[in-house]
Structure formats: structure tokens, C-alpha cells
Amino acid sequence: MRVLLVDDDPALLEVLGAYLRGAGFEVLEAQDGEKALELFPRADLVILDLMLPKLDGFKVLEEVRRERPELPILMLTARGEEEERVKGLELGADDYVVKPFSPKEVVARVKALLRRAGLKEELCYGPLRLLPKERQAYLEGKPLPLSQLEFDLLLTLAQHPGMVFTRERLLEKVWGPDFPGIDRVVDVHIAALRKKLMDDPENPRFIETVRGVGYRFRETDAPLR
């Protein structure tokens, strides 16, 4: 699971980031609102300070909610700033923590938000089993030797069965908004992934091509847990 941590305080990023990594999360960091908007497409949850340089947290919150209404957002607010907290919740934040806070409490709230958002610790589609936290995949009980990019690509598709992803959207979400590559990169990695999954492109069990658009994970086998 990827957590995007957004705050302009380097010390806070270091300490809270260490706790999140210790809990098994991959952490992306941003010290201003513009960088946060670049990184949020790759995140499973955002921890967002409201007072940010370049672009304040409220504007970031509005943009994230517009693009990804399902993404869990945890606000960081200053003590006594009730109006800020109310405004943030009205704009779509899911929860808040008041500074100064316990990093352990933040980690606990992150886990609770992910549970509420329905981000499963295990996804099973027939013979395919994915463990997002451990970043492991199994096919018919045997571990799949996936690269980091292949796992991220497979997880992105499997977390949204039936949803069509354009190549551009997959590039942005898996490779990141700054990746200078072309759409063909996605096709190459999908082909490699299908080979490891023993998935026939003409009669796929898992990854289906949507002609002229992109790819989707088949809905035929619903996740078992």
C-alpha cells in the first residue's frame, strides 16, 4: 500500500515516514501542494497538511476529490483550528489528526481508513492471489517472480475489476506523472505480465484488452476475500 505524506516540515516527514514504513507502507513524500498533485495518482491514501507552500491543502483536497473521489484522505491540522477542520471535512477529507500528534495514532488511523475504504489485505481471483502489503503474488499456490512495476501494474488492475484503464492512466498511476515514456511501454509490460500469468491474450483469464482504449481486469471471478 502506498501512502502519500504531504507536509512542508522535513522533520515531520522523516519521523512519520519512518513509522509508516515500519508498519509496512510504501511512502511517497511531498513538501508542497504542487508536488502533492503530481504524486497522488500513485497513492492508496493521502496524509495532507492544510498549510502548504505553492498550493494550499484545501486546493489540493478539492483537486484530489475531483479526480479520485474514492481515495482516503487524512488531514493534519493545527490545534484550535476548528474552522479549518470543518472546511476540510466539508471538502471531502475522511478524518483528521490535530498537531502535535502521536505517530502511532496516525498509523492506526491510516489502517482504519484503509479498512473502511475496502482496500483488502488479500485479493483472490480464482487461482491468482495477491498480497498488497507484502507485495507478493501467487498463481495456483506458487509465487510469481514479478518485478516491482509488474506487481504495481497487476495490483492496479486487480483492485478495480471491470474498470477500463487507458494506457495514459496506467502510465500516470504506475510509472508516475514525470515518466517520459510512451504508451508502448505499457503494452510491453502487459505482455510480460500475461506471460508470467500464463494468460492467453485471445482468451484471457485475468487481463483483457479493450481495443483502442487500454486494459481491464476481468470481472468473471470476483475477489474471494
Side-chain angles (χ1 to χ4, degrees):
M1 298 285 184
R2 284 199 189 109
V3 174
L4 172 57
L5 179 55
V6 187
D7 198 290
D8 62 349
D9 182 352
L12 184 148
L13 291 177
E14 181 178 357
V15 173
L16 187 51
Y19 271 85
L20 289 164
R21 292 183 183 95
F25 294 102
E26 181 180 348
V27 180
L28 307 172
E29 296 180 358
Q31 294 191 41
D32 61 68
E34 291 182 356
K35 188 65 176 177
L37 289 184
E38 290 181 17
L39 294 176
F40 87 85
R42 300 168 58 195
D44 298 303
L45 180 143
V46 178
I47 300 175
L48 178 65
D49 185 31
L50 295 177
M51 298 295 104
L52 296 170
K54 295 187 180 180
L55 195 66
D56 69 48
F58 295 115
K59 290 189 174 74
V60 173
L61 181 53
E62 286 182 296
E63 184 62 26
V64 171
R65 271 290 164 261
R66 185 178 301 114
E67 294 292 325
R68 293 186 62 190
E70 83 291 349
L71 185 66
I73 300 173
L74 176 64
M75 289 186 297
L76 303 180
T77 70
R79 185 184 298 277
E81 298 294 340
E82 182 179 355
E83 289 185 7
E84 285 187 357
R85 296 196 294 273
V86 171
K87 182 178 179 181
L89 291 169
E90 288 177 344
L91 288 173
D94 297 284
D95 198 359
Y96 67 86
V97 177
V98 178
K99 296 179 181 180
F101 51 74
S102 160
K104 290 183 179 179
E105 179 187 358
V106 174
V107 172
R109 287 179 181 265
V110 165
K111 290 179 178 179
L113 283 175
L114 289 172
R115 284 196 299 271
R116 277 159 44 188
L119 294 176
K120 300 173 177 62
E121 298 204 1
E122 181 172 323
L123 291 171
C124 292
Y125 292 92
L128 178 64
R129 178 177 175 229
L130 299 178
L131 303 176
K133 189 173 180 180
E134 292 83 0
R135 297 185 62 77
Q136 294 176 349
Y138 298 85
L139 183 65
E140 297 177 347
K142 298 178 181 179
L144 284 172
L146 302 180
S147 69
Q148 178 177 326
L149 277 171
E150 287 169 348
F151 183 86
D152 288 343
L153 185 56
L154 178 58
L155 182 62
T156 297
L157 292 167
Q159 284 179 326
H160 306 280
M163 179 184 293
V164 179
F165 285 84
T166 64
R167 291 169 177 81
E168 293 83 0
R169 178 66 172 145
L170 287 170
L171 273 175
E172 181 182 276
K173 187 165 176 61
V174 178
W175 280 262
D178 296 326
F179 182 71
I182 56 176
D183 294 355
R184 180 63 181 157
V185 172
V186 176
D187 297 334
V188 170
H189 280 79
I190 288 286
L193 191 52
R194 280 173 164 163
K195 185 175 181 180
K196 292 180 180 180
L197 290 169
M198 295 183 288
D199 210 16
D200 180 2
E202 300 302 320
N203 187 28
R205 289 187 296 172
F206 306 116
I207 300 173
E208 189 175 19
T209 300
V210 180
R211 300 293 180 189
V213 183
Y215 300 96
R216 68 181 166 204
F217 198 88
R218 286 178 58 85
E219 286 187 287
T220 49
D221 288 315
L224 302 181
R225 58 175 72 85

